[in-house]
Amino acid sequence: KPWLDKKDEL
Amino acid sequence: MNVFRLLGDMSHLLAILILLLKMWKTRSCAGISGKTQILFALVFTTRYLDLFSSFISIYNTTMKLFFIASSYFTIFLMYSKFKATYDSNHDSFRMEFLVVPVGGLAFLVNHEFLPLEILWTFSIYLESVAILPQLFMVSKTGEAETITSHYLFALGSYRLLYIFNWVYRYYFDGFFDLIAVVAGCVQTILYCDFFYLYITKVLKGKKLSLPA
């Protein structure tokens, strides 16, 4: 899942 | 970015500013748990290791830098500058009871068995229980200064708003992270009785006092 690679949440 | 996450981040920022303001104005850290602040510094340090390796946005980077810097500055204020006002007798929660189990869980339950991922998972789990020494201290002293209760309300609201952000992202972006959501719900649930006391007492102008 793309989000897991880039953690965009603080 | 969505309105819930932005409000959540602003609430988190507000909490940190309220705490710094309280210590700076009163020249005291009475009623504040240094252990919770140490755990928060550990949370930010282990979560933002990708600060220099992956760039998301200016906002993301500046907020991460501020959270890390403010958490260590708070510890400096508590254990150095205002050390005389630090109430270590009431700040007696054993941090190792949190760090060790959370560390073990991060090894067992994570998305990927990689150092950065395990540290991020550790940070998420730790953040969900990091407030316990502070809540424990309030229950031991039986009361909290009004400004401290505002700090706790803003801090508790931030992760509650993040839950709305995750619902929003699930329906509109198709993103979902079970670890963050479960830990976020645990974290918010820990504030429930404080939220009740805050809304029924502090908002009515009374002092926050726990039933002895």
Side-chain angles (χ1 to χ4, degrees):
Chain A
K1 287 186 289 178
W3 183 54
L4 285 187
D5 304 333
K6 282 173 76 76
K7 302 262 186 284
D8 66 348
E9 293 185 344
L10 291 175
Chain B
M1 175 59 81
N2 60 68
V3 63
F4 301 113
R5 184 142 65 95
L6 188 61
L7 285 177
D9 290 341
M10 291 306 106
S11 183
H12 195 182
L13 189 63
L14 179 66
I16 291 170
L17 294 175
I18 291 173
L19 181 63
L20 289 175
L21 186 75
K22 170 246 180 325
M23 289 199 280
W24 202 253
K25 285 278 182 201
T26 64
R27 320 290 293 166
S28 156
C29 58
I32 303 296
S33 163
K35 300 191 171 182
T36 282
Q37 300 308 318
I38 290 171
L39 293 175
F40 281 148
L42 189 55
V43 164
F44 294 136
T45 307
T46 52
R47 187 172 306 179
Y48 299 153
L49 292 171
D50 62 350
L51 185 61
F52 302 109
S53 60
S54 75
F55 177 77
I56 308 276
S57 68
I58 296 285
Y59 170 80
N60 190 273
T61 302
T62 45
M63 290 294 273
K64 285 178 175 178
L65 286 170
F66 178 78
F67 285 166
I68 290 175
S70 61
S71 63
Y72 283 102
F73 180 59
T74 301
I75 290 170
F76 160 72
L77 289 180
M78 292 195 72
Y79 288 95
S80 168
K81 195 164 178 60
F82 302 135
K83 182 180 175 61
T85 64
Y86 171 53
D87 181 3
S88 59
N89 297 323
H90 286 118
D91 192 11
S92 54
F93 197 98
R94 303 287 300 276
M95 288 189 288
E96 50 274 33
F97 288 171
L98 297 176
V99 174
V100 174
V102 158
L105 188 63
F107 264 92
L108 296 174
V109 181
N110 52 60
H111 289 310
E112 270 182 291
F113 199 76
L114 296 170
L116 262 184
E117 191 65 35
I118 289 176
L119 284 169
W120 176 85
T121 309
F122 168 77
S123 155
I124 291 288
Y125 292 154
L126 185 61
E127 188 190 1
S128 64
V129 293
I131 198 62
L132 282 175
Q134 179 65 66
L135 296 179
F136 180 75
M137 183 174 192
V138 170
S139 67
K140 276 194 81 173
T141 53
E143 62 170 13
E145 287 175 22
T146 300
I147 187 133
T148 305
S149 54
H150 294 321
Y151 161 69
L152 286 170
F153 183 72
L155 201 56
S157 305
Y158 129 72
R159 215 60 178 172
L160 174 61
L161 287 161
Y162 255 69
I163 292 174
F164 295 126
N165 151 65
W166 289 320
V167 171
Y168 179 96
R169 293 194 80 171
Y170 180 72
Y171 285 111
F172 293 95
D173 304 352
F175 286 120
F176 180 68
D177 181 325
L178 187 62
I179 286 177
V181 170
V182 171
C185 291
V186 167
Q187 183 169 337
T188 304
I189 287 167
L190 291 177
Y191 282 85
C192 281
D193 66 329
F194 167 76
F195 279 147
Y196 172 76
L197 288 169
Y198 182 83
I199 289 164
T200 57
K201 288 195 173 174
V202 178
L203 293 189
K204 292 194 169 67
K206 295 182 198 139
K207 193 173 176 58
L208 183 86
S209 59
L210 298 178

